[in-house]
Amino acid sequence: MNNPLVFVFGNRMELQKEAVIEAVRKEFPYEHLVFGSTSGEIIDSNVFDNSVVVTAIEFEKSTFVIRTENILNHNKDVEKLGESLYNALPKENLRHLFVLSEGSFVNGSSLIEGLEKNIENAVPISGGMCGDDAKFEKTLASYKENPKEGEVVLIGFYGDTLEISFASFGGWTSFGPERIITKSEANILYEIDGQPALNLYKKYLGEKANQLPQASLLYPLNVTPEGKKEPVVRTILGIDNEKQSMTLAGDVPENSKVQLMMASVDAIAEGANEAAQRAMQNRKAAPQLALLVSCVGRKLVMNQRVEEEIERVQEVIGNSTAITGFYSYGEMAPFANNTFCDLHNQTMTLTLISE
């Protein structure tokens, strides 16, 4: 192969083993290796745990450029990091950006804001936040180097013949009263309707509250920011019993409307199918590669039936399309008919590529 782009998606514990990394490098002796830890690995219509999946992508007419930054070198200012990453890429003929980000302390919403700050000609962005099963201890990512903490990888795709489409869809339903976020700071939620957020949430969860934060993956929040039509789903990544607050995987602005959500296995599989249909909508050519980023929360709900959502995607995009991807702590993609990227949780997000 001629200098391919190689994605290495794997369980965090596996990616920490020298022997595993050495084996990957030996089998794929190429320059452009991109590593990311996951909450489950996707290849073809299979979902694996505690494994490493490797996909080598060779471009015939197109090119790619990869840049990385580490959040630890930016005083954890993720917006600045995003801006600096985008500025480091050549702009001519740039068609699409794919992000693979550290997933445990990067606020995905702020990262997108930084990346989009100087995108005047609206280059679409898709991608995801790395995972760590349902452990939420630490996530790893890297380009060329061995996987490490705090890394954000940005891949720019270039070329006239490239066709890249994308879509994101959930399949969760809201329930209970609609409330208002009365106190929050970026992605930390303190109060809903003037009451401590965690208290209110625990009241809803009942006995399941003892299993937080894992239980919250099954009951995310539907958040509609003031002045926006489209709601975004927010997963709870951590809780602070002392401050009665919750840390979410993306911003939860004050005055947003908020509602609890739940899902069934069938609804999630149907949501994956819908995402695939949206991604295929205006394509001229059949996709050659599908990059799937699905949420760890979906995987926990679907449990043994998790592969159904991949199969539902495959039904739409066709059996000849190569599929790779991972389960994540957050998905990035624009809403339909829009190039502005949003951070989503609990969705199936697809990036379809052909040239």
Side-chain angles (χ1 to χ4, degrees):
M1 286 182 96
N2 178 22
N3 223 5
L5 166 59
V6 182
F7 282 116
V8 185
F9 298 133
N11 172 278
R12 192 250 305 172
M13 303 299 210
E14 293 299 313
L15 292 185
Q16 283 175 317
K17 295 176 183 165
E18 280 294 328
V20 169
I21 301 299
E22 265 171 46
V24 169
R25 291 189 187 281
K26 200 175 163 190
E27 190 74 28
F28 296 87
Y30 304 114
E31 184 188 356
H32 303 294
L33 267 65
V34 173
F35 295 91
S37 68
T38 75
S39 296
E41 303 81 51
I42 300 169
I43 197 153
D44 292 329
S45 57
N46 305 309
V47 177
F48 295 103
D49 287 307
N50 308 320
S51 77
V52 176
V53 305
V54 186
T55 309
I57 306 150
E58 188 175 28
F59 291 96
E60 193 185 347
K61 310 167 190 136
S62 321
T63 54
F64 59 89
V65 175
I66 305 175
R67 295 284 182 265
T68 64
E69 292 274 353
N70 198 293
I71 187 70
L72 306 174
N73 302 336
H74 284 265
N75 295 327
K76 297 206 175 173
D77 183 340
V78 70
E79 200 173 317
K80 279 269 187 311
L81 177 149
E83 206 181 330
S84 138
L85 259 182
Y86 177 70
N87 291 343
L89 277 181
K91 306 298 179 289
E92 199 182 332
N93 226 347
L94 176 60
R95 300 298 297 273
H96 190 87
L97 296 170
F98 189 83
V99 190
L100 187 66
S101 168
E102 191 286 329
S104 33
F105 42 70
V106 161
N107 173 351
S109 306
S110 304
L111 173 60
I112 291 167
E113 255 168 58
L115 286 168
E116 289 198 327
K117 201 163 184 183
N118 298 315
I119 296 185
E120 287 150 28
N121 58 346
V123 179
I125 301 172
S126 62
M129 318 281 291
C130 290
D132 179 24
D133 292 334
K135 288 197 277 290
F136 294 101
E137 285 164 12
K138 64 175 179 181
T139 65
L140 307 172
S142 68
Y143 167 50
K144 293 189 184 180
E145 303 175 323
N146 287 5
K148 55 182 179 176
E149 282 191 89
E151 203 77 352
V152 181
V153 181
L154 182 65
I155 305 170
F157 291 103
Y158 300 80
D160 292 334
T161 57
L162 268 183
E163 186 181 5
I164 300 180
S165 60
F166 42 82
S168 186
F169 198 79
W172 297 67
T173 45
S174 310
F175 70 95
E178 199 171 61
R179 300 176 180 273
I180 300 289
I181 293 177
T182 45
K183 187 182 175 195
S184 68
E185 201 175 312
N187 62 331
I188 299 171
L189 175 56
Y190 293 101
E191 288 179 10
I192 297 172
D193 284 353
Q195 300 177 45
L198 187 57
N199 227 353
L200 193 68
Y201 192 73
K202 282 180 168 174
K203 208 161 81 184
Y204 263 104
L205 287 192
E207 286 168 17
K208 292 196 179 79
N210 305 328
Q211 295 155 25
L212 283 170
Q214 277 75 8
S216 69
L217 290 167
L218 308 179
Y219 299 95
L221 301 176
N222 201 34
V223 178
T224 312
E226 209 175 9
K228 293 218 176 166
K229 286 195 190 87
E230 299 275 5
V232 285
V233 183
R234 289 286 172 260
T235 305
I236 294 134
L237 291 183
I239 57 172
D240 185 332
N241 283 309
E242 216 168 285
K243 293 184 177 150
Q244 284 289 307
S245 68
M246 314 197 284
T247 301
L248 294 110
D251 283 354
V252 280
E254 286 181 3
N255 297 322
S256 298
K257 294 175 184 159
V258 64
Q259 228 178 341
L260 266 118
M261 302 189 90
M262 58 194 275
S264 69
V265 174
D266 292 340
I268 287 181
E270 198 48 55
N273 184 277
E274 175 68 26
Q277 289 188 34
R278 290 182 179 197
M280 289 294 282
Q281 221 155 31
N282 299 313
R283 286 194 67 91
K284 295 178 188 75
Q288 291 162 295
L289 174 74
L291 271 167
L292 271 46
V293 182
S294 185
C295 188
V296 58
R298 300 167 70 83
K299 187 164 172 271
L300 293 178
V301 171
M302 296 192 86
N303 206 343
Q304 267 97 11
R305 289 174 60 189
V306 68
E307 288 179 351
E308 280 181 34
E309 75 161 348
I310 315 297
E311 286 159 9
R312 294 299 303 274
V313 166
Q314 199 171 33
E315 280 169 23
V316 178
I317 63 175
N319 291 339
S320 56
T321 306
I323 297 176
T324 187
F326 65 98
Y327 280 85
S328 74
Y329 281 176
E331 309 80 56
M332 297 175 191
F335 279 110
N337 314 321
N338 189 335
T339 46
F340 293 106
C341 189
D342 258 294
L343 178 82
H344 306 274
N345 299 139
Q346 308 291 9
T347 61
M348 161 65 81
T349 295
L350 303 90
T351 305
L352 304 179
I353 305 176
S354 63
E355 60 163 2

